[in-house]
Amino acid sequence: MAENPKDPRGLPRTHPRFSATYTPDVMAEIRRAAATGIYDIRGAGAKRKLPHFDDLLFLGASISRYPLEGYRERCVTEVVLGGRFASKPITLKTPITIAGMSFGSLSANAKEALGRGATLAGTSTTTGDGGMTEEERGHSEKLVYQYLPSRYGMNPDDLRRADAIEIVIGQGAKPGGGGMLLGQKINARVADMRCLPPGIDQRSACRHPDWTGPDDLEIKIEELREITGGEKPIYVKVGASRPYYDTALAAKSGADVVVLDGMQGGTAATQDVFIEHVGIPILAAIRPAVQALQDLGLHRTVQLVVSGGIRSGADVAKALALGADAVAIGTGALIALGDNDPRWEAEYQALGTTAGAYDDWHEGNDPAGITTQRPDLADRLDPVLGGRRLANYLAVMTLEAQTIARACGKSHLHNLEPEDLVALTIEAAAMAGVPLAGTSWVPGKSGF
Amino acid sequence: MPTFDLKHSPLRELNRTLYALRPDTNETHWTVTGPDGRHAIAAGLDAPISVEIEGNVGYYCAGMNKHASVLINGNAGVGVAENMMSGFVHVRGDASQAAGATAHGGMLVIDGNAGARCGISMKGVDILVKGSIGHMSAFMAQAGTLTVLGNAGEALGDSLYEARLYVRGSVKSLGSDCIEKEMRDEHREQLFAKLQAGGLAGEIDPSEFKRYGSARRLYHFNVDNAGAY
Ligand SMILES: Cc1cc2nc3c(=O)[nH]c(=O)nc-3n(C[C@H](O)[C@H](O)[C@H](O)COP(=O)(O)O)c2cc1C
């Protein structure tokens, strides 16, 4: 323990003490705001500590449960998405998909690498705001085409050559917000795809231009099915805020798949205040969404894909145990490609940050060549190597999830269930609807 | 001239039949009867055919159209010709909200009035409305032309990008960053060409129109513009 500082008479003085309210980060932001007059825009997801999958543990088999032999007994990971209405549902070898990230926010090389990695792993990748590029269509065996409010680059040919369509209502990082892509990243190609002048700060709309509300959504889904001959699964993606109702309304509107993205989910660029204060953590959103599907008798018929802070096979297993059918990853995939890698530390320092904390993805100067449109930087990412790294990461996550599932005696990842879980904190127990470890107490439900 | 009666055959069959047509098809003129306000009629066409619909249509008629010419002898619901890429869509009656939303190309002609958000986020289409248009029309419109012989409702061209708006009548109010701009010869010529394409060559005097466009003040985030949002 440090000694007290002394006053001139040699008597002990109080320690310098930081406020828990006005922390150094808070004060730095006040000074920044005062000097610039503009809110902070950044990439990535919520950085504050939130109740998350780390607060859950698996119980594993014991006398009452029977485990499966690791690396010997089968534990199936395959998942089929879209079988509710689509005549051509998508079959994935692993329930870990690559989330939609826009060309514009990411370089063409990065999009290609994501496609290559997903294809090697037998899973799907997703376009994003700004439309479909040849690089990603060409290298993605299964490509989900996002249908966004902005409709940048939206055209019926790409709709037809997609393997599924994802209607984006919102994102976990910013439920209720649109997108932004600052001028630095609007080069001629990006501008051309979006029908906008190069170099301007561009906003993506937060509402769809030609429908409002669930009754209209149903008609929109009908139109998309007409145009694609009823073949393609139609996903509806929402940011986690009112997961019970949003999931129910999406299912009622005719979605084949609901994608639910929690507040830790990454974004290419949004106001910090939005990222940190709007929406709820994915941990709190899964059970209500599953409940909505169960109440409609549609759990497992309409698949639930969840995202927002999925980093490891443990997270995958926990999300599935809570009732999701699959997960999506964004930030983790970018890190696998080389985002925030310490090898670029000198350059991060030059940008006023450090490896691991770099989040100025909107500025387009990414040393790792991922969130940029600058050719000199984008060239640093080898899409073949990047794809290989992503495939490795996906393989590790899948193996980890299988390891846990076998330990819980499950021959399919989907057989994981809430009963396999306990929570370390009261908050997580309440949100996930599982008992606090060592008790039978599910806050708000039982065991008082 | 094949006729398809939606009273007796399902919509999916009509659309499937039309999708199956090759660009060199001989069956170039189709008539659709009994639309009864059904949605997504003739949406997603991709061949240089003409389709005439006898009656009122629901949402998204001729949505995402490419190459085809679609004539609606009636009124159109929300999002007629939404995201059209090319071709020609003609509504003989009135159109509901979001007519021509996000359309990238082709031409949309509405003989009557159009509701709110006509030409919202338009990306290159030419829209000609012979009547008046509702509020928030050409919201975030990016490219193309919107020509209105009648009046425009509130907040015309809010947060507009490079689309050009020509209005002959009154404009209730302009949206953020939308201003009246000088009509120069090039604009009168462009307007004349659009009127001509809409079948109004020589009938309407381009000099009766005012031009509206983006002041381009919101193209870069600037704290001094915060009041405009
Ligand atoms: C760089 C970047 C760009 C993104 N672009 C889009 C987008 O265009 N459309 C969309 O729906 N979500 C977008 N997202 C969100 C992801 O689809 C996904 O919801 C999120 O990344 C999942 O959380 P995670 O990053 O913690 O894995 C983007 C995320 C990132 C990191």
Side-chain angles (χ1 to χ4, degrees), chain A residues 102 122 138 182 207 252 294 328-329 406 419:
Chain A
S102 61
L182 299 195
R207 290 188 303 268
K252 178 249 160 211
Q294 284 169 341
I329 59 167
R406 287 197 186 92
E419 288 67 24

Side-chain angles (χ1 to χ4, degrees), chain A residues 99-102 105 128-129 146 171 237 261 264-266 308-309 330-331 361:
Chain A
M101 292 181 273
S102 61
S105 78
D129 212 358
Q146 283 201 331
Q171 256 176 265
K237 175 174 178 175
D261 190 25
Q264 299 100 321
T331 307
W361 297 348

Side-chain angles (χ1 to χ4, degrees), chain A residues 85-152:
Chain A
F85 291 124
S87 64
K88 289 190 179 165
I90 291 192
T91 301
L92 305 176
K93 287 199 189 124
T94 168
I96 311 163
T97 67
I98 306 300
M101 292 181 273
S102 61
F103 169 66
S105 78
L106 299 186
S107 67
N109 275 356
K111 288 300 283 177
E112 177 179 334
L114 293 174
R116 285 176 179 275
T119 301
L120 282 171
T123 189
S124 63
T125 183
T126 313
T127 66
D129 212 358
M132 185 188 285
T133 66
E134 288 307 320
E135 288 91 337
E136 69 180 333
R137 176 62 282 188
H139 292 100
S140 309
E141 195 186 304
K142 298 192 179 74
L143 183 59
V144 183
Y145 186 44
Q146 283 201 331
Y147 187 73
L148 295 114
S150 72
R151 310 278 165 89
Y152 290 135

Side-chain angles (χ1 to χ4, degrees), chain A residues 260-310:
Chain A
L260 183 65
D261 190 25
M263 74 178 286
Q264 299 100 321
T267 172
T270 299
Q271 298 91 333
D272 176 80
V273 71
F274 214 141
I275 300 176
E276 296 286 355
H277 299 278
V278 184
I280 64 172
I282 194 63
L283 184 71
I286 301 177
R287 289 306 290 273
V290 171
Q291 189 65 52
L293 294 174
Q294 284 169 341
D295 289 351
L296 292 167
L298 291 172
H299 188 223
R300 304 290 186 215
T301 302
V302 168
Q303 285 77 37
L304 179 69
V305 179
V306 304
S307 57
I310 304 273

Side-chain angles (χ1 to χ4, degrees), chain A residues 223-289:
Chain A
E223 181 202 17
L224 294 170
R225 288 205 198 277
E226 277 300 317
I227 292 178
T228 53
E231 286 181 353
K232 326 244 179 231
I234 296 190
Y235 304 8
V236 171
K237 175 174 178 175
V238 292
S241 55
R242 298 176 185 84
Y244 181 87
Y245 293 105
D246 287 338
T247 304
L249 290 171
K252 178 249 160 211
S253 303
D256 293 300
V257 175
V258 176
V259 181
L260 183 65
D261 190 25
M263 74 178 286
Q264 299 100 321
T267 172
T270 299
Q271 298 91 333
D272 176 80
V273 71
F274 214 141
I275 300 176
E276 296 286 355
H277 299 278
V278 184
I280 64 172
I282 194 63
L283 184 71
I286 301 177
R287 289 306 290 273

Side-chain angles (χ1 to χ4, degrees), chain A residues 29-51:
Chain A
E29 173 51 21
I30 292 173
R31 284 189 291 271
R32 194 204 60 76
T36 64
I38 185 98
Y39 44 45
D40 181 30
I41 295 174
R42 66 172 178 87
K47 291 193 163 184
R48 61 152 100 201
K49 183 144 177 53
L50 290 163

